[in-house]
Amino acid sequence: MHNATALRRRVAIVGVGMTHQGDHGDVPDQVLALHALQEAMADAGVEDKHRIDAILGAKQYDGSGIDAVAFGRTLGITPGWSGALDYPVAGFTLHYAAMLIASGACGLVAVVYARNPPGVMQALSGAQEYDLSHGFVNAAAVHALAWSAHMAEYGTSTRVLGRIAVQQRRHARLNPLSSWQEPLSLEDYERDALVIAPLRELDICKVTAGGVAILLAAPEIARDCAKRPVDVLAIGREASHGLERGEHMSFFSSPRIAEDLFTAGGVDRQDVDALYVYDPTTVAVAGALENFGFCEPGACEKFVGDGSTIGLGG
């Protein structure tokens, strides 16, 4: 069985929109999502909201997020398809949208998400899905254990995590909608206090408020949109169903998925110009570099070097 597949019908991303990511006061989730979708529609040159025939959202454990049916009512449309995925599988939403189009069920799908929870800009992000009685407060605790194991096995250090944090901040500062615009140096990182050893606060994502929307379209719609569409070559997913496997502590992105994905997409590592990694912690970035084959297992510190390898032009 393969965990990644090429799409049998062309699917393209035709519009992206997002609000500022940060503090939005008491603005409701749905309003943030609405602003993001308006931006995505403008980006795609889609003026008629009734052309959208599917809305997909995502919900958090605490109930925040976007219910697709309720959002459709707010938007004033009744699409033929709607759905909201829960937090553990929310990353699958884009795959869901692509498959709706590839199957011929839909022509234009809106993927929307927004959240304005308590603790914005202060609290450390992470769903409390682990064993709280043993201190597994969120994903950062699992990643901290994983990096401890990585250091013990390969002789790596926390400095590579600092290099990743500094480079990610440089990238964020290029986007005026990002939450933190202050410069960050390696010295700043190393002065930061340990919070879940060996991770520092700067290693861990914080809670922010904001909205984002992505429009995906079938080829007959994509060709008439405002900008050049971005084709989806292949999609893949694998989810662990527990912490019982020791490897779960070390592998956050499956090498098997990577091989399937590159094969299905007809590309290889040297063809990749940009890598976007979901980074609840800096450890996730290091894991992606190794597990997707951009460097050998245990070699991420050498690969990242002074950080320029994972920077613009690297």
Side-chain angles (χ1 to χ4, degrees):
M1 182 179 71
H2 295 286
N3 291 353
T5 183
L7 297 173
R8 295 181 180 179
R9 185 187 186 208
R10 184 185 171 200
V11 176
I13 296 172
V14 295
V16 176
M18 63 185 293
T19 68
H20 168 68
Q21 304 295 300
D23 190 348
H24 285 274
D26 58 358
V27 177
D29 297 355
Q30 286 209 19
V31 173
L32 293 173
L34 183 60
H35 288 319
L37 181 58
Q38 288 172 330
E39 292 288 337
M41 291 176 64
D43 190 45
V46 175
E47 297 180 358
D48 183 4
K49 62 187 179 183
H50 295 283
R51 294 181 66 190
I52 297 172
D53 49 22
I55 298 176
L56 303 180
K59 303 282 285 185
Q60 290 279 338
Y61 280 113
D62 60 9
S64 63
I66 295 301
D67 179 276
V69 175
F71 184 71
R73 288 197 294 264
T74 299
L75 194 60
I77 63 174
T78 53
W81 295 78
S82 61
L85 300 181
D86 288 328
Y87 173 79
V89 292
F92 184 64
T93 310
L94 197 67
H95 303 57
Y96 184 4
M99 288 188 289
L100 282 174
I101 294 170
S103 69
C106 296
L108 183 64
V109 178
V111 176
V112 294
Y113 181 72
R115 187 178 181 227
N116 192 357
V120 169
M121 306 291 281
Q122 297 296 325
L124 298 179
S125 181
Q128 295 186 354
E129 60 178 312
Y130 302 101
D131 190 342
L132 302 188
S133 63
H134 291 85
F136 275 19
V137 177
N138 59 24
V142 179
H143 289 203
L145 275 178
W147 196 251
S148 295
H150 198 282
M151 291 192 296
E153 183 172 356
Y154 297 111
T156 44
S157 71
T158 59
R159 176 153 283 210
V160 62
L161 303 183
R163 298 288 191 193
I164 290 170
V166 168
Q167 198 60 260
Q168 296 285 73
R169 178 66 64 87
R170 286 175 182 162
H171 297 160
R173 294 182 67 215
L174 298 173
N175 185 348
L177 299 178
S178 65
S179 303
W180 282 272
Q181 294 288 333
E182 302 80 7
L184 177 67
S185 67
L186 186 61
E187 292 71 29
D188 295 331
Y189 170 85
E190 293 180 335
R191 282 193 295 266
D192 199 34
L194 293 171
V195 290
I196 308 177
L199 303 186
R200 295 170 164 82
E201 187 170 329
L202 287 166
D203 286 305
I204 305 167
C205 178
K206 286 186 176 178
V207 173
T208 56
V212 64
I214 304 174
L215 286 176
L216 291 89
E220 61 271 18
I221 296 175
R223 62 172 173 254
D224 295 326
C225 287
K227 296 181 178 178
R228 181 180 177 182
V230 177
D231 288 336
V232 179
L233 298 182
I235 55 176
R237 175 173 173 80
E238 180 176 282
S240 170
H241 296 286
L243 303 179
E244 66 279 358
R245 298 196 326 241
E247 66 182 38
H248 181 83
M249 295 296 182
S250 301
F251 297 99
F252 298 102
S253 48
S254 166
R256 183 170 61 249
I257 266 286
E259 291 303 324
D260 284 354
L261 196 62
F262 284 121
T263 300
V267 297
D268 207 344
R269 282 88 177 161
Q270 63 266 24
D271 300 316
V272 176
D273 295 314
L275 176 68
Y276 291 79
V277 180
Y278 172 54
D279 57 347
T281 72
T282 51
V283 177
V285 179
L289 292 172
E290 292 189 4
N291 292 312
F292 274 82
F294 293 98
C295 61
E296 294 295 319
C300 62
E301 187 153 18
K302 181 179 179 181
F303 180 82
V304 170
D306 64 0
S308 60
T309 307
I310 59 170
L312 296 179

